[in-house]
Amino acid sequence: MTTVLAPVRTTTDLTERLGRVALATQGVLYLVVGVIAGSLGLGDHGGDAEAWQRGPIESVARQPFGRVLVGVLPAGLLAHAAWRLLLAVRGEPGPDDDGKSIAKRAANLGRAAIYGSLSLLAFRLFSNSSGGDGNSEKQSTARVLDWPAGQWLVVAAGLAVIAAGLWHMSKVVTAAFLEDLDLGGLTGGTRRAVEVSGRVGYAARGAAFGLVGWFLLVAGVQHDPSESRGLDESLRELLGRPHGPWLLGLLALGLVLFGSYRLLDSRFRKPSAIVHA
């Protein structure tokens, strides 16, 4: 009996450790991105603007202590990729996979690929072997648009990203994220702070997803890759709209709060909610 259970326990422990590192890394990324977006909203269009055009990870590299952060980020992002890959392989507990479990496996596999590519980008920046490319989103969209039915794939991707944004927004109302946290040892005020940071943070994250998805949708409908935007360009586009600096400032505050929430999430999330996220 012992020899059968030991490997399972080891895999579970590894998944939990990777998950906590992954959540903390995501929190640091959102904190830095929120701070940079906030500086743009307050009128700092100088040095940060050039870095921001190249993408959030390179923006991190150009901040004070950025080289140290980017030196740590590859490991954290790789841990996130490994965590999602383990979740995709493990699936939901039980003898059979239902439709929901298969969908979660596919989602985790997709996230593993995304965070794996981000870890590679962070490593390349740290090693100075390559810089970021501010046109990467447009180039990727252009390639897809050239595929058979590529226009509809881009439209579908835009709708999927918007749907993800709405899903994040729904957590503002339901506060379902609190079910994954073990807050029993916290005071009422601290619990309230965690809840507020989570609600506001998920609202900001949903808005950011919605912006990216909208520009992707427009690019597909108009068959114009120049209309696509990454998160960096989407926030800069928002800056140029009426009341843009105020809107960007509020969004930046929300992203900072989401980063703070993710750090708390990495500490207080229940082990079961990490192993079967």
Side-chain angles (χ1 to χ4, degrees), residues 98-225:
D98 56 16
K100 181 179 178 181
S101 178
I102 293 173
K104 289 185 74 172
R105 283 177 184 261
N108 281 318
L109 188 61
R111 290 177 180 178
I114 291 171
Y115 280 96
S117 64
L118 287 176
S119 67
L120 177 61
L121 173 58
F123 176 78
R124 291 170 65 188
L125 286 173
F126 180 67
S127 62
N128 284 325
S129 63
S130 174
D133 184 354
N135 294 316
S136 59
E137 292 86 6
K138 294 180 175 59
Q139 292 170 354
S140 299
T141 304
R143 285 195 293 269
V144 175
L145 285 172
D146 287 336
W147 295 353
Q151 181 177 7
W152 299 111
L153 288 174
V154 172
V155 168
L159 290 173
V161 175
I162 292 172
L166 292 175
W167 178 72
H168 287 304
M169 286 283 195
S170 71
K171 296 190 177 185
V172 179
V173 178
T174 65
F177 57 89
L178 292 176
E179 297 175 3
D180 293 333
L181 304 180
D182 182 6
L183 304 177
L186 301 182
T187 64
T190 305
R191 288 171 59 92
R192 180 62 178 168
V194 173
E195 179 180 349
V196 170
S197 66
R199 286 181 187 269
V200 178
Y202 272 111
R205 195 184 190 201
F209 271 63
L211 279 172
V212 174
W214 171 254
F215 288 121
L216 196 58
L217 178 63
V218 170
V221 170
Q222 298 184 1
H223 205 281
D224 183 1

Side-chain angles (χ1 to χ4, degrees), residues 211-254:
L211 279 172
V212 174
W214 171 254
F215 288 121
L216 196 58
L217 178 63
V218 170
V221 170
Q222 298 184 1
H223 205 281
D224 183 1
S226 67
E227 292 293 336
S228 65
R229 306 283 193 277
L231 175 59
D232 45 5
E233 288 186 291
S234 297
L235 296 184
R236 288 185 62 81
E237 183 82 13
L238 177 62
L239 183 63
R241 301 298 173 90
H243 309 294
W246 286 97
L247 293 174
L248 184 58
L250 289 173
L251 186 57
L253 177 61

Side-chain angles (χ1 to χ4, degrees), residues 50-63:
E50 181 182 354
W52 188 244
Q53 288 176 327
R54 295 177 177 269
I57 291 181
E58 188 163 350
S59 300
V60 172
R62 296 193 175 201
Q63 305 309 306

Side-chain angles (χ1 to χ4, degrees), residues 3 9 35 69 81 96 119 121 140 149 157 169 193 203 226 255:
T3 56
R9 181 69 249 173
V35 168
L69 282 173
D96 299 313
S119 67
L121 173 58
S140 299
M169 286 283 195
S226 67
L255 293 174

